Amino acid sequence: MNSADALRAVASGIALALAAIPAAWAAGNTNSFYATLGADYSSGTYGQSSSTTIWDVPLSAGYDSRLWSFRVTLPYLHVSGPPNVIPGIGAIRNNNPIGRGLGRLLHGTGVTPPAQTVTSTSGTASGIGDVVAQATFHAIRDNASQFELDVTGRIEFGTASANKGLGTGQNNYGAEVNAYKGFGSVWTLFGGLGYTSLGSSTYIQLRNVWSANAGVNYAMDASDSAGFFLFFQQRPSIYGYSRQEATFYYNHKINRTWALQGYFLGGFANGSPDYGLGASARYTF
């Protein structure tokens, strides 16, 4: 299977397409380790008066086999915008008195100045994002009919700083089912459903969400493929917004060890960025 990480913080649906377009029935089933490095950029207002821009540089390592695939991703984030816009969540009510453009900790006290209150002031912050570990079971992989059904479990550890507005500081747990159907050596249709339990904190109250994706992949030859998919996710709180996105992507396999991916995303709801783009390189060994 081809695999990539892309814009993890604001468009996880991209990863479903770029990381899981099934080539196993065409390329054979082999065991392999891989590493992926990407760079992703997005910008959007998220229903706010000013824009939020996010740089995401994810480093991933994984293992693929006929029955199982595993992946761990460590991202580095640089975010600029209002403190109530959280990567991966969007605009929500964030009552944390510390954040981008908000109060700083009093030196040595671990508390904020009494006069500080939560405002919509913009600021900039950088740091490690939420580390993600996931495992996928290839429940059905039928080369003859070119059909595959995958079941994935995922833990997103709350390693991103809540005080910097890079995350909620809480763990998220998700599961999804994705199906793929190939037609000859050219076309593959894919789609899936997901459910995520979002962790709430003292300052940020979230609820669980359903998501869905559907798309098509076109293989131009053994080295190049391109595709398009749609992604939808419920709003994460009564103060948040749903996500609706369309993504175009391109994959190029340089040789047996190196592969490149690139994409462009357009958002159609306040829970999504207005646009996003990114690229990644994968090394298989």
Side-chain angles (χ1 to χ4, degrees), residues 1-4 18-21 24 28-36 61-71 134-136 138 141 148 150 282-285:
M1 285 190 153
N2 298 321
S3 180
L18 297 185
I21 296 299
N29 300 308
T30 59
N31 300 336
S32 61
F33 292 91
Y34 67 87
T36 301
Y63 172 76
D64 289 333
S65 70
R66 175 173 175 80
L67 289 179
W68 289 93
S69 295
F70 303 93
R71 185 171 76 229
Q134 72 175 56
T136 297
H138 307 299
R141 179 176 278 182
E148 180 167 327
D150 290 349
R282 168 174 161 161
Y283 178 76
T284 301
F285 51 93

Side-chain angles (χ1 to χ4, degrees), residues 216-232:
V216 59
N217 183 72
Y218 175 73
M220 291 166 272
D221 51 41
S223 300
D224 298 276
S225 65
F228 165 83
F229 74 97
L230 300 172
F231 177 77
F232 170 82

Side-chain angles (χ1 to χ4, degrees), residues 116-265:
Q116 292 293 343
T117 58
V118 176
T119 70
S120 59
T121 303
S122 293
T124 300
S126 301
I128 298 299
D130 288 345
V131 174
V132 179
Q134 72 175 56
T136 297
F137 175 58
H138 307 299
I140 301 175
R141 179 176 278 182
D142 189 337
N143 292 9
S145 63
Q146 295 184 294
F147 178 79
E148 180 167 327
L149 182 70
D150 290 349
V151 180
T152 298
R154 180 177 60 255
I155 302 176
E156 184 173 342
F157 298 97
T159 52
S161 172
N163 289 338
K164 289 183 178 181
L166 300 178
T168 65
Q170 303 298 308
N171 293 350
N172 301 325
Y173 304 90
E176 56 200 38
V177 177
N178 292 283
Y180 313 89
K181 179 66 176 76
F183 297 89
S185 60
V186 176
W187 295 100
T188 301
L189 298 180
F190 59 92
L193 291 173
Y195 184 78
T196 303
S197 174
L198 296 172
S200 294
S201 68
T202 303
Y203 301 115
I204 300 175
Q205 296 298 307
L206 301 175
R207 59 188 184 186
N208 302 339
V209 294
W210 286 94
S211 61
N213 73 91
V216 59
N217 183 72
Y218 175 73
M220 291 166 272
D221 51 41
S223 300
D224 298 276
S225 65
F228 165 83
F229 74 97
L230 300 172
F231 177 77
F232 170 82
Q233 186 180 82
Q234 290 179 307
R235 61 180 185 173
S237 75
I238 60 174
Y239 306 106
Y241 303 95
S242 64
R243 288 168 52 178
Q244 300 175 37
E245 302 155 7
T247 300
F248 296 89
Y249 63 85
Y250 179 82
N251 298 327
H252 174 65
K253 185 176 181 180
I254 299 175
N255 50 41
R256 292 177 61 89
T257 57
W258 285 100
L260 302 175
Q261 294 88 22
Y263 73 90
F264 177 82
L265 171 150

Side-chain angles (χ1 to χ4, degrees), residues 33-113:
F33 292 91
Y34 67 87
T36 301
L37 179 64
D40 311 290
Y41 173 82
S42 68
S43 177
T45 60
Y46 298 93
Q48 309 301 294
S49 58
S50 58
S51 295
T52 295
T53 60
I54 301 174
W55 278 99
D56 181 9
V57 181
L59 174 64
S60 298
Y63 172 76
D64 289 333
S65 70
R66 175 173 175 80
L67 289 179
W68 289 93
S69 295
F70 303 93
R71 185 171 76 229
V72 177
T73 301
L74 172 65
Y76 183 83
L77 300 176
H78 179 81
V79 184
S80 181
N84 58 324
V85 176
I86 305 298
I89 301 297
I92 41 81
R93 175 175 288 181
N94 184 1
N95 294 317
N96 192 338
I98 311 170
R100 300 189 304 274
L102 299 180
R104 296 179 179 273
L105 288 172
L106 287 173
H107 181 68
T109 67
V111 299
T112 55

